[in-house]
Amino acid sequence: MQAFGHTDFPPSSFQPLIILSNPVRYESTSGSSGINEPRQTVLISCPYKLVLRVYNTATRKVEDFKSIEESKVGMYVCGLTVYNDMHLGHARTYIAFDVIRRWLEFSGYEVNFVQNHTDIDDKIIKKANQENVSFDDITKKYIERTQEDLEKLQVKPPSVMPKATDYIPEMITIISDLIQKGNAYVADPVEGALAPDVYFSVNSASNKFGTLTGQKLDEMRAGSRVAIDKRKQHPADFVLWKGAKEGEPNWNSPWGKGRPGWHIECSAMSLNYLGKHFDIHGGGIDLKFPHHESEVLQTECHTNHSPMANYWLHSGHLTINNEKMSKSLDNFFLVRDVMKEYSAPVLRFYLLNGHYRSPIDFSDSNLEESLSAYKRLEGVYNRLESVTKSGEQEPEELVSAISSCKLSFSEAMNDDFNTREALAVLFQFSRLVNGF
């Protein structure tokens, strides 16, 4: 058993407790497949028809989950801005949504899982300038390394991993439509730019503002989480298109040479793969505002459909000394460095031993405790596997305990994907097994 991730064939009595996967395999941009050759997928289904309940950021309450299309789920999770390697805070988000995706599949849903790469951004341009290479040299390098890290973490490959720069024409179409509808406007070029910017007008959609945060537009103050810019009609207006500066990567548009803003990228890609209305939109809690709030505004104004997503799910921060793990704060640990000391199953166990919405404070001692706890569970699993292979008759009390454990595990996972409680169920079960 490997912390809700890759596993070989487990004993049949224990199967429903483990969310199974292929050995994960990502296609790199160079055409090389990755580390492991694919093997047959082990398919099992959940024997318990329990009601899945999820916390919806948009409504601020726990709701029964019901997919738009029966037995199918469309799911979009915001991916990395690829200018550096993945750190543990990123891993926390992608492992959380990997398990959410696995549980949905285990429960009988066919999941169309979309996770993007943001491959054009100020940070990418800065990194390229520092290394005196092109921006796409940087993005190609870190897309490949990101996929390597996800594979090592045993995160299942998404159904598709689009790159933002492949959808520039779609972004221009959306922006043009928003301008025509009065939801966006062309602003004067910023100092040093060769062409104007385009901004979304939050006043034009004030009834939608605050969908995820609950904040009212008239509560927004200039300089409070939004940049002061006299070219804006409202301080909370956000950029859809940036006029290019000399030497920056750019694309032709009706407003001159430029590049997309960050928020519009995810709208274009989610519309392309999931349409104007899909089931789940996810990401880290730090994306709730302004990124996801902006997605709601521009997408729904463009499509004239609300909601764009029925359920918004956000994972909590991984912190160090109660501060968010962040590249900007220089307080992060890279996944590939930590995995020199700890295996993927142990890292997954550590990051799942907390509810996905709750913050987790990182420390070496907590990782060591997770290693020890994981080994205890692994030992019980191996014992059950050996009993199954030997053909020994399982005691009646153990058979009953397994059935009870399966039900309790399923109840925990159906309670907003409560992996902490699900692991507690497994430990309770392991203590009983050790009594035989």
Side-chain angles (χ1 to χ4, degrees), residues 128-186:
N129 290 338
Q130 289 172 343
E131 298 190 8
N132 197 29
V133 297
S134 68
F135 87 96
D136 49 358
D137 286 336
I138 294 295
T139 59
K140 181 180 179 181
K141 172 183 176 180
Y142 287 108
I143 285 173
E144 290 181 353
R145 290 171 69 87
T146 293
Q147 292 179 167
E148 290 170 3
D149 288 344
L150 289 170
E151 183 172 18
K152 290 174 184 176
L153 288 168
Q154 298 171 354
V155 172
K156 289 184 68 174
S159 307
V160 63
M161 293 188 83
K163 296 188 303 179
T165 54
D166 288 338
Y167 295 88
I168 301 291
E170 288 83 353
M171 296 175 205
I172 291 172
T173 297
I174 296 169
I175 296 168
S176 298
D177 179 65
L178 292 172
I179 292 174
Q180 185 176 0
K181 290 177 175 176
N183 297 120
Y185 58 92
V186 180

Side-chain angles (χ1 to χ4, degrees), residues 20 59 77 96 123 164 199 204 219 234 247 293 296-297 305 326 341 346 367 372 374 380 390 403 433:
L20 304 175
T59 60
V77 174
K123 295 173 183 176
Y199 281 90
S204 73
E219 296 172 355
H234 187 281
E293 193 76 65
V296 170
L297 293 173
H305 185 279
S326 168
E341 303 293 331
V346 172
L367 258 178
S372 176
Y374 175 79
V380 172
S390 70
S403 179
V433 171

Side-chain angles (χ1 to χ4, degrees), residues 160-232:
V160 63
M161 293 188 83
K163 296 188 303 179
T165 54
D166 288 338
Y167 295 88
I168 301 291
E170 288 83 353
M171 296 175 205
I172 291 172
T173 297
I174 296 169
I175 296 168
S176 298
D177 179 65
L178 292 172
I179 292 174
Q180 185 176 0
K181 290 177 175 176
N183 297 120
Y185 58 92
V186 180
D188 291 336
V190 72
E191 185 178 353
L194 306 176
D197 295 340
V198 181
Y199 281 90
F200 185 90
S201 169
V202 294
N203 276 323
S204 73
S206 57
N207 61 318
K208 295 181 182 294
F209 191 90
T211 296
L212 303 179
T213 62
Q215 196 168 22
K216 302 299 181 184
L217 191 56
D218 57 12
E219 296 172 355
M220 296 293 294
R221 299 193 309 274
S224 177
R225 299 201 70 183
V226 290
I228 298 174
D229 187 338
K230 293 181 179 180
R231 297 175 306 135
K232 296 182 181 182

